Amino acid sequence: MAKIKDGPKVVGIGELLWDMLPEGKRAGGAPINFVYHAARLGARGCAVSAVGGDTLGSEILAELAKNGIEHCIARLDYPTGTVLVKLDDKGVPSYDITENVAWDHIPLTQEALASVAEAEAICYGTLASRSEESAKSVIELLSRCPKEALRFYDINLRGNYYNAELVKRLIGKANVFKINDEELLILKRLLALKGDGAQICRALLKEYNLRYLILTAGAKYSEVYWHGGVSRVDTPQVKVVDTVGAGDSFSGAFVYGILSGMNVEQAHKLAVEVSAYVCTRSGAWPKYERKQFL
């Protein structure tokens, strides 16, 4: 895919890894999935992470290049990240995430600092901050991005790699927050939040002075809250192959829409359409053309 040089610049900071699916390995990692989809729609995408000096690291860097994604990727003396993905009979994944891999040691480089300084949106999650080394790099990079940039925190809770202190630290750096319905129940317990889903979403929007709060509910619906109201869209019914990366494609499409001048409802509609399509394909990086949606 040719890189569109005049599109908005979006940066993903965090895990870059191989999803080991039943049919073979696929490139992945939530913040980088976000970049992939924003780039397919027309953004200038950049990945900030770390991979090993191994063959898997070389192969995943080749995948980034093939898809027109710029990168600030350190090569380290740790293995490239992998995740064993198991799918249930509805294509919903569970993950066995390898520990002490390269992206647990993301360094703070001048190249990465320069990249985030010109970003219009930055996506990050909780998983890459499971190690204090990467967490420090993520926090520092967020502090160096332009004040007006979208700082998109997809909570993306996995395994036991989170706690209340870490989540509050990360959401405090965000102006866009994305969570799914299952994670909302976990967050409610974790932070002792009161009220139903809508009440919690509105309370978080206000407490953290967010521009947008996105709640996704899988095959049911999704909602986008902002200070002017709420947009709700039912999820299209499609033949699901797997849902790996579907939420990240939603995020990338929504942010691209906002940065391209769409209103919230238009950006939300685009996000729903892209994520529904991704569910009909295998892996987090399926091929599609911008003209399919725009």
Side-chain angles (χ1 to χ4, degrees):
M1 182 184 69
K3 181 173 65 181
I4 300 176
K5 297 182 182 297
D6 59 352
K9 182 170 183 178
V10 302
V11 176
I13 308 171
E15 62 272 18
L16 175 61
L17 49 83
W18 287 106
D19 287 323
M20 300 302 190
L21 290 153
E23 66 273 21
K25 69 179 189 293
R26 299 283 190 274
I32 318 305
N33 297 343
F34 162 92
V35 167
Y36 172 86
H37 291 285
R40 289 218 73 89
L41 293 171
R44 176 186 169 197
C46 181
V48 176
S49 189
V51 298
D54 48 20
T55 300
L56 288 178
S58 298
E59 289 175 345
I60 207 162
L61 292 180
E63 283 294 302
L64 293 175
K66 184 170 70 176
N67 287 285
I69 300 173
E70 301 171 21
H71 61 80
C72 305
I73 307 293
R75 302 294 300 266
L76 305 178
D77 292 329
Y78 294 92
T80 297
T82 57
V83 176
L84 178 62
V85 182
K86 296 180 180 179
L87 304 174
D88 68 14
D89 57 1
K90 295 181 180 179
V92 176
S94 60
Y95 304 97
D96 183 2
I97 305 169
T98 308
E99 298 185 354
N100 198 27
V101 293
W103 57 261
D104 286 311
H105 305 274
I106 299 171
L108 187 66
T109 65
Q110 290 302 314
E111 186 182 18
L113 289 166
S115 184
V116 300
E118 58 181 18
E120 293 182 55
I122 295 178
C123 180
Y124 63 104
T126 310
L127 183 57
S129 291
R130 68 181 181 178
S131 74
E132 188 58 29
E133 185 175 357
S134 288
K136 287 180 178 178
S137 294
V138 170
I139 294 296
E140 182 61 24
L141 288 166
L142 289 168
S143 73
R144 301 293 189 95
C145 72
K147 184 178 180 181
E148 65 276 10
L150 295 177
R151 297 183 301 281
F152 192 108
Y153 174 40
D154 184 345
I155 193 169
N156 199 30
L157 300 177
R158 294 285 182 261
N160 61 351
Y161 302 121
Y162 61 88
N163 55 58
E165 180 182 356
L166 177 60
V167 169
K168 287 191 286 187
R169 182 184 183 192
L170 294 173
I171 194 174
K173 299 295 181 181
N175 54 28
V176 184
F177 179 46
K178 177 176 172 289
I179 191 167
N180 67 35
D181 53 344
E182 294 179 354
E183 292 165 337
L184 188 64
L185 295 176
I186 296 172
L187 189 66
K188 183 176 182 178
R189 294 194 300 270
L190 200 65
L191 302 186
L193 302 173
K194 305 297 183 183
D196 61 21
Q199 290 169 330
I200 291 172
C201 288
R202 292 189 178 96
L204 290 170
L205 187 77
K206 182 178 180 181
E207 179 178 355
Y208 290 97
N209 194 28
L210 301 168
R211 296 188 200 176
Y212 311 106
L213 187 148
I214 299 167
L215 172 65
T216 59
K220 296 176 285 187
Y221 64 89
S222 57
E223 295 174 335
V224 180
Y225 293 81
W226 75 104
H227 294 286
V230 58
S231 171
R232 179 183 172 111
V233 177
D234 290 336
T235 303
Q237 300 303 302
V238 297
K239 185 177 181 180
V240 174
V241 172
D242 68 54
T243 62
V244 177
D248 307 321
S249 68
F250 185 110
S251 303
F254 178 81
V255 165
Y256 179 77
I258 293 295
L259 293 179
S260 300
M262 294 181 182
N263 62 35
V264 177
E265 289 89 351
Q266 291 168 332
H268 187 185
K269 181 175 180 291
L270 174 64
V272 169
E273 291 174 351
V274 171
S275 60
Y277 175 82
V278 169
C279 289
T280 69
R281 299 294 186 269
S282 175
W285 294 15
K287 303 296 184 185
Y288 58 87
E289 298 300 323
R290 182 177 189 273
K291 63 185 179 182
Q292 289 176 235
F293 302 101
L294 295 168

